[in-house]
Structure formats: C-alpha cells, structure tokens
Amino acid sequence: MTFHSYLILAKRKWKLILAIIIVVTVLAYGFALAKNKNLYKATVFLSIGVNESAMRENPKSSVYENVQAADQFTETVQGWFKNPDFLQRIEKKSGFGSNISARKQEKQNLLVTFNTPIRLQAEKISEVIKNELIAELNTYNQRTSTAFQLAIYTPNINEEPVNVFLFLLFGILAGLALGIAISYGHEYLFQLASFSEQITDILQKNYLEKLRAQTSQKEQLELLLVGLKKHTSNTMMVAGVNINPGHLAKEIARHIPGKTFHQCILPSDCEKLTDAKYLLLVCRLGKTSLDDLKKLRAFLPKEFDFVVIES
C-alpha cells in the first residue's frame, strides 16, 4: 500500500483519528505538567589545581608544568565518575540515586551534571560529591606523592522545565499513528475493504474511476461517464456491494439518456445478476466486505467494471 492509500484511510476515519489524537495529546500534556513540577538540574563546575606549597618544595617544577599536570589529571578525575565504587559511595552517603555524568571542558575544568526530583536531594548530592572528591584526591596524593587539589567547586541548581511542546508533538504523532492503526485494525478484523488495491486484487482488473461520497463532483463523474458511454448495451445494472448505489445510479441515468438502468444491493440481490449484460459494481472503502466480494466474483457477467468510493 502506498502513502496515498493510508492518507485516504485517514481522511475516511478523520473523526475517530481526531478523537484519538485529542485523547493522547491531553494525556501527553498532563504527563508533561506532572513531570515539570519535580525536576531539578544540578550543574557543578569544578577545577583541578596543584597545591602551591608543593610547588615550593619542588623548585624543578615550573608553573607551566604544574598546569599541564593538572590538566592531564583532570581526565583521571573525569574517569572517577565512571567508577561504580565511587558512584556507590556518593549514593550511599547522600541517600539518593542519581544519573551523574562528568565531561571535561577547558584545561583543568570539569562539568558535572545530574537531575533529581527534589531540590534538597540535588543540594545533598552536590555536597557529597565535593567531600568524596576531596577524599579521593587526598588518597591519590598520598599514594603517588602528588599535590593535586580541588581548586574551584561551584554548584548551580535550577528547576529544569520540561519541553511541553515536544510532549504535545509526541501526542499528536502518536495519536495519529494509533488512530490509523485502530481504524485499519477494525476494518481488517471485519474484512472490510480499506484500500482500492484490495478490491483490484480480488476482481483482477483496474477500477473504472475513484469517486468520493459526493458523486456530484463534475470531474470525477465526467470521467466515469466517458467510460460507461463506450458500452453499447442498452441495459446496465448498477450494483452496490454492501451499499445502496441509488444516488450514483440516478446521476448516471440523468447523464446517459436512452439506456435502461437497474440497480441492486449485493449480495442480497445476487439473483438479479443472472440477466445482467453489463454490470457496474460500486464498492465503498470501509463498507464493502472483502469476503462478499470474493463470493460474488463467480457470479459476475463477462462485461463488468467497478468504481471505488473513497470517502
């Protein structure tokens, strides 16, 4: 099936799809508001340096070399935030779990971020991170005879607004997809024609014309009449499959004088097909039964065409 086929399905079922879109969008909007009330984003800016007293004790180390060492060591500190043991200590001492991540910015600088539902949690976690970093630096300095220190530690906690527009967009798209799926699922379950291609496959020929429910549209009706006028039979049968073809039959009879038109509803009036020399089947998407169409295939005369009403 083509994209156009699904577009026709959406047009036919627009009321149902619109209702589903509204329901899903309202639910998505409500979820966004509920989520927006309790979300705080914490951003901690920290910088690693070298203790000045250590620089005086080691005159061979220049300021530049110490800055370079601190810059390289910042990558080590960044790795600590991927250490499960380090993260577990933060979670245990703060009493809260959080998705903590760290990334390096400029030389010696790290940016640590995490989200929490409560502001007090963010403040507590921020404090614990600072204490654990200082403890970890002291342990590292003792074991490696270095003098790295936490030079700057600046936490910033803000209420993070959820992008309501994204939730609304998700609701609309999800509602549209769900609406189309439900519409097609209903017709599939009851074996109703959803696409013109299904009717074409059963009847093994192309449709004469596609119409809309309002057959007064001139362009479509004129194309249909051109095809019907080619037939020389003076008597024509217009049969609707599970629908009443009366309105279309009257329109055709009005534009093609001098011919006799009969009409019937299939499959209830199947016996009327016996004397039909030329048959025009009228199938409507969402109404015509595919099972009935398959059963009728054996009773159709040699000369027949069909039209598809899309909406």
Side-chain angles (χ1 to χ4, degrees), residues 68-248:
Q68 288 295 102
D71 178 35
Q72 295 177 4
F73 183 68
T74 303
E75 297 179 2
T76 301
V77 177
Q78 182 182 4
W80 292 350
F81 286 94
K82 297 180 181 179
N83 183 356
D85 180 66
F86 182 73
L87 295 175
Q88 287 174 7
R89 292 204 307 270
I90 294 174
E91 182 177 344
K92 183 178 180 180
K93 292 184 179 180
S94 66
F96 308 109
S98 183
N99 187 17
I100 302 173
S101 63
R103 70 175 187 272
K104 186 176 179 181
Q105 287 194 311
E106 301 84 3
K107 287 178 179 289
Q108 304 173 252
N109 299 326
L110 278 180
L111 199 64
V112 180
T113 57
F114 57 90
N115 296 327
T116 62
I118 300 174
R119 185 180 183 87
L120 291 176
Q121 290 182 0
E123 294 174 352
K124 180 64 176 178
I125 293 173
S126 178
E127 181 183 353
V128 172
I129 290 176
K130 179 180 180 181
N131 295 335
E132 286 302 308
L133 277 176
I134 292 174
E136 198 76 6
L137 284 169
N138 291 336
T139 301
Y140 184 89
N141 289 334
Q142 290 176 4
R143 293 180 179 178
T144 60
S145 299
T146 51
F148 296 110
Q149 65 177 1
L150 192 60
I152 299 174
Y153 188 88
T154 307
N156 185 28
I157 301 171
N158 294 307
E159 186 173 2
E160 180 72 5
V162 174
N163 194 331
V164 177
F165 174 77
L166 289 180
F167 281 90
L168 291 176
L169 181 61
F170 170 79
I172 293 172
L173 295 178
L176 177 62
L178 183 61
I180 292 176
I182 291 176
S183 299
Y184 177 68
H186 170 265
E187 294 181 353
Y188 178 81
L189 181 64
F190 291 96
Q191 283 295 288
L192 301 176
S194 298
F195 311 106
S196 60
E197 291 86 350
Q198 295 172 306
I199 302 173
T200 300
D201 290 341
I202 294 174
L203 299 180
Q204 294 296 304
K205 66 185 306 182
N206 292 325
Y207 51 81
L208 191 60
E209 186 58 49
K210 282 184 178 181
L211 304 174
R212 296 179 184 174
Q214 298 177 349
T215 54
S216 60
Q217 297 186 23
K218 292 183 178 180
E219 291 184 4
Q220 294 176 320
L221 188 58
E222 286 175 0
L223 291 173
L224 173 60
L225 294 173
V226 170
L228 292 177
K229 288 177 181 178
K230 294 179 181 179
H231 295 278
T232 58
S233 175
N234 291 325
T235 303
M236 293 186 178
M237 175 73 73
V238 181
V241 184
N242 307 116
I243 62 169
N244 189 337
H247 181 67
L248 178 60

Side-chain angles (χ1 to χ4, degrees), residues 15-31:
K15 291 182 180 179
L16 174 63
I17 293 174
L18 179 61
I20 294 174
I21 288 175
I22 291 173
V23 171
V24 175
T25 303
V26 169
L27 291 176
Y29 181 70
F31 177 78

Side-chain angles (χ1 to χ4, degrees), residues 30-45:
F31 177 78
L33 292 181
K35 189 175 177 62
N36 191 37
K37 292 178 181 178
N38 299 311
L39 184 64
Y40 292 89
K41 182 177 181 179
T43 304
V44 179
F45 178 86

